[in-house]
Amino acid sequence: MKILAIETSHDDTSVALYQDRKIIKEKTISQTKFHAQFGGTLPEFASRIHAENLPIILDEFLKEFDLTDLDHIAVTTEPGLIGSLHMGKLFAYGLGFALNKPVKNINHMHAHIYATCFNHDIIYPALALIVSGGHTQLWDVQSPKKITLLGQTKDDAAGEVFDKVARALEVGFPGGPVIDKMAAEATSSIDFSLQHERNLDFSFSGLKTKVINYIHNSKQKGLEVDKNAIAKGFQDAIVENLMFKTKLAIEFAKPKSIILGGGVAANSKLREEFAKLHECPLIPERKYTTDNASMIAIMSDYLSREQ
Ligand code: KG4
Ligand code: ZN
């Protein structure tokens, strides 16, 4: 199965050429540096930049590969920033028309689940914890076509909170990778532990407020803050809550394998703790955790095989 996949749901313009569980080429142009100056993604600009980048990337692929023997084109159509999704979708359907190839619509969150399949075979039924900049979700995975949401965030997503805490600490954007590094270097920790509610939904806005208030109060009092200790305490609190909820979901769904995915799945502490939860943890390579077109291609391949 040879697939050209397109992903533009957020701030990465990504295209991948895929064949039989292997990536022939993936090209991603990240807009992070542009949006960093505003401290977060500006949706209108994100779509305009996708519109500029997509033809540049396609030209590169056309110079290197013959795309006339594709089986189909796959494109992310939900969820995401509406303008950004439209750019990818219009481009994919235009290309499909020009090459006379079918176009398949792919759900971005489902693709985050199947990103693990570059390295692992999913043993069904599976349970997936997907943690990204926009979502924190637990999914029951019976097959590529039977994926059911068990619980999700009621307010801020985990990645969003990493980014907001990093902003309050003035350590850059996106915050996840920086906080991950700072926590690893910490010599002490500040306790921000959460009360865990026994249900499968998530709420991180209380934790966000607690950490940000701590930073602001310390500054107002003229106290020196230990940024690494704050990063560690915050990261431990969020990971502990994610693990509590995942354990609860394991008790409920009794999966044969558990899958981790989404941008926050690049986090060292989360990867380490997730691996301890079950005898069959499926953790994707870091390069397939943050947004990429390769995962869109593999999801589309698995869906096609089901037909
Ligand atoms: O899945 P993703 O690439 O984009 C969305 O679909 O949202 O996730 C991006 C999120 C950002 O919030 C970023 O801070 C977070 O993933 N992230 C991390 C790490 N690397 C990226 N969070 C914690 N630790 C990391 N190492
Ligand atoms: Zn994502």
Side-chain angles (χ1 to χ4, degrees):
M1 181 75 63
K2 194 167 175 184
I3 302 167
L4 186 82
I6 298 172
E7 154 66 42
T8 61
S9 66
H10 190 218
D11 62 356
D12 291 301
T13 318
S14 186
V15 178
L17 183 60
Y18 163 103
Q19 190 161 25
D20 306 326
R21 269 174 108 175
K22 296 250 164 12
I23 294 301
I24 301 168
K25 178 182 172 91
E26 184 199 270
K27 170 92 181 184
T28 302
I29 305 181
S30 166
Q31 304 178 7
T32 304
K33 277 205 181 120
F34 173 83
H35 297 290
Q37 58 185 312
F38 308 105
T41 309
L42 296 188
E44 175 62 25
F45 280 95
S47 14
R48 286 171 192 232
I49 302 171
H50 286 311
E52 280 168 22
N53 288 341
L54 280 167
I56 296 171
I57 301 180
L58 180 67
D59 270 353
E60 200 176 305
F61 276 69
L62 285 171
K63 277 187 196 129
E64 286 177 54
F65 308 106
D66 173 17
L67 299 182
T68 56
D69 63 346
L70 293 176
D71 288 286
H72 67 262
I73 295 167
V75 62
T76 308
T77 49
E78 58 168 341
L81 300 171
I82 195 76
S84 293
L85 287 168
H86 271 139
M87 287 306 148
K89 194 171 172 183
L90 290 169
F91 196 80
Y93 277 83
L95 188 63
F97 183 73
L99 295 173
N100 197 20
K101 299 291 173 194
V103 181
K104 308 224 169 176
N105 298 342
I106 301 297
N107 178 299
H108 180 87
M109 306 317 294
H110 295 180
H112 269 307
I113 300 174
Y114 277 78
T116 205
C117 294
F118 284 108
N119 305 89
H120 309 283
D121 287 317
I122 296 178
I123 306 166
Y124 299 103
L127 174 85
L129 171 69
I130 303 302
V131 253
S132 74
H135 299 86
T136 310
Q137 299 174 324
L138 280 161
W139 295 90
D140 172 56
V141 187
Q142 301 285 336
S143 77
K145 285 198 177 157
K146 202 158 174 250
I147 305 176
T148 314
L149 190 64
L150 297 176
Q152 66 179 327
T153 185
K154 291 291 166 212
D155 39 57
D156 300 63
E160 196 178 344
V161 183
F162 268 94
D163 296 337
K164 286 178 178 165
V165 167
R167 194 194 300 171
L169 285 171
E170 297 170 341
V171 291
F173 171 85
V178 197
I179 290 190
D180 194 347
K181 192 161 169 280
M182 289 166 69
E185 286 165 6
T187 49
S188 63
S189 179
I190 293 157
D191 183 17
F192 293 117
S193 323
L194 285 168
Q195 293 253 316
H196 310 304
E197 282 182 26
R198 281 189 69 82
N199 60 49
L200 299 182
D201 289 324
F202 301 90
S203 169
F204 296 124
S205 74
L207 172 65
K208 175 189 70 181
T209 311
K210 202 163 150 187
V211 180
I212 293 177
N213 282 349
Y214 178 90
I215 299 166
H216 289 163
N217 289 342
S218 307
K219 271 190 201 158
Q220 272 165 7
K221 288 181 196 152
L223 300 171
E224 183 80 27
V225 291
D226 180 343
K227 292 190 179 183
N228 287 357
I230 296 173
K232 178 160 170 41
F234 159 69
Q235 182 178 276
D236 284 350
I238 206 159
V239 170
E240 197 182 284
N241 187 258
L242 289 168
M243 295 305 93
F244 176 86
K245 300 283 177 164
T246 309
K247 269 190 221 157
L248 208 60
I250 292 172
E251 278 169 31
F252 167 74
K254 302 191 173 42
K256 293 205 171 118
S257 64
I258 59 167
I259 303 163
L260 185 63
V264 183
N267 185 270
S268 321
K269 174 81 180 170
L270 178 57
R271 295 169 78 87
E272 190 186 313
E273 296 301 323
F274 191 82
K276 296 179 194 162
L277 289 183
H278 195 272
E279 69 269 18
C280 188
L282 309 179
I283 303 176
E285 275 181 74
R286 275 198 168 85
K287 66 176 175 186
Y288 295 129
T289 57
T290 44
D291 290 349
N292 64 86
S294 301
M295 69 181 192
I296 305 304
I298 202 164
M299 179 78 235
S300 195
D301 185 9
Y302 274 70
L303 278 170
S304 306
R305 284 193 230 169
E306 283 274 289
Q307 280 157 3

